[in-house]
Amino acid sequence: RANEDAPWHRGLIGEYAEALLAAGKYDEAIPLRDKLKKIAPNYFWTHYLNAVLLAREGRSEESHAAALKVLAVSPEHLPAVLLAASAEVQKGDTQMADTRLRKILKIYPYSVPALSLQATTQMQLGKTKDAMEAIRRGLGVAPNDARLMSLKADVEMKNGDIKNAVTTLEALVDKYPNDASSLLRLSELKARLGNKQAAGTLLDRAAQAGQNEPVVRDRIISIAMRTGDNARVKQ
């Protein structure tokens, strides 16, 4: 309503567009971003909205550049830091991302997205102990966060702790029973532990959860081939 009353107000345009993004209404936010690019190309909100929308389009280099413009004005802007760090992780500049996240976590120590991203960078740097500490802190804030639980299983598997990884993934699929990716990962671990019946049951659940996803089907075939389940491969 405020935007309708003052369609020329740059701050309102930016805040309205951000609210639309938060609500998942990306198509409605794009014209507002484009409007800001015309009337205020170097404005804070213009760069931030651009960074978010470019990241969504998979244009990480351009999103990174836009996020850095936001940070030049507001270096402690958490969403822009996350966008910049995510782009840096994608292009392999993990150390830069890690440095950026360490700084922002001193200001926002309980940010679950920041802790999750930090855990990812620590794993890429081979620092599994630090990764697990970030995950532990994140789960202390959001104990049912799917991304953190998945990362916890990753660290446990990397450390060779298969039984705890199974326990973590069982908790994850209990909370998110239609998460095909987690069902597949748990199936693989069950097969490695020799429980082929449980592995097959999990594959059935994954097939149901991801019945319209070719990637899920391909992974089911791959797992079934490795476990000698030829009937499932043919099916």
Side-chain angles (χ1 to χ4, degrees):
R1 287 167 55 190
N3 184 66
E4 288 173 0
D5 288 341
W8 43 266
H9 194 291
R10 300 182 307 169
L12 278 175
I13 296 170
E15 292 202 35
Y16 182 35
E18 184 185 42
L20 289 169
L21 292 174
K25 299 180 179 181
Y26 296 95
D27 291 341
E28 293 181 45
I30 290 172
L32 295 173
R33 184 274 313 265
D34 294 343
K35 182 178 180 179
L36 276 178
K37 286 174 74 173
K38 289 181 180 178
I39 65 175
N42 295 313
Y43 187 40
F44 168 88
W45 279 112
T46 310
H47 295 314
Y48 174 62
L49 296 171
N50 217 20
V52 175
L53 291 168
L54 288 168
R56 181 172 170 76
E57 293 170 11
R59 297 158 66 180
S60 61
E61 287 284 348
E62 294 166 87
S63 174
H64 184 247
L68 292 181
K69 290 177 181 177
V70 175
L71 295 174
V73 178
S74 179
E76 297 177 0
H77 189 264
L78 177 60
V81 169
L82 295 175
L83 285 164
S86 295
E88 286 156 358
V89 169
Q90 286 183 47
K91 66 179 182 179
D93 197 354
T94 313
Q95 194 63 59
M96 175 62 78
D98 182 54
T99 301
R100 197 181 295 284
L101 289 165
R102 285 182 185 276
K103 288 180 180 178
I104 203 67
L105 279 165
K106 290 179 181 178
I107 303 167
Y108 302 100
Y110 303 112
S111 167
V112 172
L115 288 166
S116 177
L117 192 51
Q118 187 189 42
T120 301
T121 63
Q122 294 302 319
M123 285 186 66
Q124 290 192 10
L125 292 169
K127 300 178 180 179
T128 54
K129 185 179 287 188
D130 290 341
M132 189 60 90
E133 174 59 21
I135 292 165
R136 184 192 65 76
R137 285 170 57 195
L139 289 173
V141 180
N144 295 329
D145 186 84
R147 175 63 180 156
L148 286 170
M149 293 175 75
S150 181
L151 284 168
K152 184 173 184 286
D154 287 342
V155 175
E156 289 163 343
M157 289 167 63
K158 198 163 188 175
N159 290 337
D161 192 353
I162 304 301
K163 289 186 177 179
N164 271 335
V166 166
T167 301
T168 300
L169 287 172
E170 285 176 338
L172 180 55
V173 300
D174 184 55
K175 290 179 173 63
Y176 303 95
N178 294 318
D179 182 357
S181 177
S182 297
L183 289 164
L184 289 169
R185 293 174 68 199
L186 183 56
S187 174
E188 288 182 290
L189 293 186
K190 290 285 188 180
R192 284 173 62 178
L193 293 174
N195 193 341
K196 290 188 176 182
Q197 183 175 351
T201 299
L202 288 161
L203 285 182
D204 288 336
R205 289 176 59 187
Q208 183 64 32
Q211 55 187 322
N212 298 318
E213 300 177 38
V215 173
V216 172
R217 179 204 61 208
D218 293 345
R219 283 191 62 192
I220 290 172
I221 293 171
S222 176
I223 294 168
M225 288 177 69
R226 288 202 302 273
T227 58
D229 190 350
N230 295 327
R232 190 182 300 277
V233 174
K234 292 176 181 177
Q235 180 187 8

